[in-house]
Amino acid sequence: MAKNYYTLLLISRKNSSVKKIKLLSTFLKFIFIVVSLTFVSVLYFSYDYLNIRNDAAKLSEFKHLTVIQKEQIDLLITKIDNFEKKMADIKQLDQKIRILTNIENNRDGGQFLGMGGPVIEENTAESQIAETQRTLINSIHKNMDQLLEEANYQEDSFRELFEFLKKQKSILASTPSIWPIMGWVTSEFGYRISPFTGNREFHRGIDIAAKMGEDIMAPANGVVIKKSLEPGMGNMVKIDHGNGIVTCYGHFAKTMVKRGQRIKRGDVIGQLGNSGRSTGPHLHYGIRVNGVYVNPKKYLF
């Protein structure tokens, strides 16, 4: 079988000589295939190289963004940790106040979940970094939800304490605890010998002697329920302080309140005198609790 040849003519421009080169057709086809494959390979690897450079640039940018996000997340975690410590301090304060006020706490506060900063290796794949961040963000959300729940719990607890202390303050303000007038006690509470009859009698208060005309003050907040002139007590006043406590005052020279008037601790309610059955200027001061007279000295400080 005859072989096909291709003749390649090489003509010199210098001396116009001609050189002939015979090439087999199969060899030329081989050369063509090799050149084509080389060209395609160069195109493929060039494209792949450009893609690798592009991915490397994106990865570098992503790592830079990850570093920034890590710093922001670390800052957020630090703030959450500080908030957690503050909530723990508030919880301890709540417990101390409840101990001091003898209020039981029937609700159990939740324990805070521990949290640490994110750890991201430099050679971590993009998918692993994203998964780590998702896990961390979910943990942050969980901690924030628990902190908000604890904050709501403490808000309710402090509201309960506030209402209790407000009530206690109202009770304290309405409890006669100061001397209505400064002087000396000339007759104690209880049985005594009457200075008028010489017989044994029960004295339902204490007598406080002082200078004629001295101001007499209300020992607590209350409402005037009685103002009258009686043979034994003379000019007298009664004040209802609530919670079953009523204070009684007698022998005023002058009363300075009216029935139904609301008064506060320290308000002047009259002036010291010796009206009614009295041996000299003094104040009869009595306290009645739930209808029973008690020793006023138990309330005086």
Side-chain angles (χ1 to χ4, degrees):
M1 181 178 179
K3 295 182 179 180
N4 293 328
Y5 288 93
Y6 290 92
T7 302
L8 180 64
L9 299 177
L10 300 177
I11 302 174
S12 175
R13 297 179 64 183
K14 186 175 181 180
N15 51 18
S16 300
S17 61
V18 177
K19 293 182 178 181
K20 297 180 179 180
I21 299 176
K22 291 183 177 181
L23 298 174
L24 289 172
S25 61
T26 54
F27 179 74
L28 289 176
K29 290 179 182 180
F30 174 76
I31 295 297
F32 176 77
I33 292 173
V34 170
V35 171
S36 298
L37 290 175
T38 303
F39 179 74
V40 171
S41 298
V42 169
L43 287 178
Y44 173 78
F45 286 112
S46 297
Y47 177 77
D48 189 55
Y49 173 74
L50 291 176
N51 283 338
I52 291 174
R53 288 196 59 182
N54 187 39
D55 290 341
K58 288 183 178 179
L59 182 59
S60 177
E61 181 181 356
F62 182 78
K63 286 183 177 180
H64 177 69
L65 180 61
T66 300
V67 171
I68 297 176
Q69 290 177 344
K70 178 181 179 297
E71 293 175 354
Q72 295 176 345
I73 292 174
D74 286 342
L75 179 61
L76 177 60
I77 289 175
T78 300
K79 291 182 178 180
I80 292 176
D81 288 340
N82 292 334
F83 182 46
E84 178 179 330
K85 292 176 183 178
K86 289 292 184 183
M87 289 300 299
D89 292 340
I90 291 174
K91 188 175 181 180
Q92 290 181 355
L93 177 61
D94 179 275
Q95 292 174 347
K96 289 179 180 179
I97 294 175
R98 287 182 177 276
I99 291 173
L100 292 175
T101 55
N102 197 28
I103 301 177
E104 293 184 0
N105 188 357
N106 297 322
R107 294 175 292 179
D108 294 330
Q111 295 293 327
F112 294 117
L113 294 177
M115 177 181 288
V119 179
I120 300 177
E121 299 295 339
E122 291 297 327
N123 58 352
T124 304
E126 181 178 342
S127 60
Q128 294 175 335
I129 294 175
E131 180 63 26
T132 301
Q133 289 184 342
R134 282 195 297 270
T135 302
L136 182 61
I137 291 173
N138 290 335
S139 178
I140 292 174
H141 281 300
K142 186 176 181 180
N143 274 53
M144 286 302 299
D145 290 341
Q146 186 172 4
L147 287 173
L148 289 174
E149 182 180 352
E150 182 69 17
N152 291 331
Y153 164 81
Q154 289 299 154
E155 181 182 6
D156 293 339
S157 180
F158 278 119
R159 185 180 292 110
E160 179 184 353
L161 287 172
F162 175 75
E163 293 298 328
F164 172 80
L165 293 176
K166 185 169 68 173
K167 183 178 179 181
Q168 292 300 311
K169 179 181 178 182
S170 177
I171 293 174
L172 181 62
S174 301
T175 301
S177 56
I178 64 172
W179 289 77
I181 190 171
M182 298 306 297
W184 58 95
V185 178
T186 57
S187 183
E188 298 283 355
F189 174 85
Y191 285 99
R192 69 175 183 177
I193 300 300
S194 172
F196 300 102
T197 64
N199 296 325
R200 188 169 182 265
E201 66 176 6
F202 187 82
H203 189 219
R204 298 184 298 182
I206 59 176
D207 291 339
I208 306 173
K211 183 179 178 181
M212 186 74 171
E214 286 285 333
D215 289 338
I216 298 171
M217 297 179 297
N221 298 353
V223 179
V224 177
I225 59 173
K226 186 175 182 180
K227 173 187 175 182
S228 63
L229 176 61
E230 298 184 0
M233 297 293 288
N235 292 316
M236 71 166 297
V237 170
K238 286 187 178 182
I239 301 174
D240 187 351
H241 301 281
N243 299 303
I245 301 176
V246 175
T247 52
C248 308
Y249 313 83
H251 310 297
F252 282 102
K254 178 183 179 182
T255 56
M256 303 175 67
V257 292
K258 58 184 179 180
R259 189 173 183 274
Q261 180 179 341
R262 288 190 172 273
I263 56 173
K264 294 182 178 180
R265 174 183 284 137
D267 288 350
V268 176
I269 59 175
Q271 294 177 342
L272 186 74
N274 62 349
S275 59
R277 193 169 65 166
S278 171
T279 58
H282 75 282
L283 170 69
H284 172 84
Y285 178 49
I287 297 180
R288 191 176 66 198
V289 180
N290 295 324
V292 179
Y293 282 93
V294 298
N295 191 346
K297 282 192 172 181
K298 293 181 179 180
Y299 289 84
L300 297 177
F301 297 97

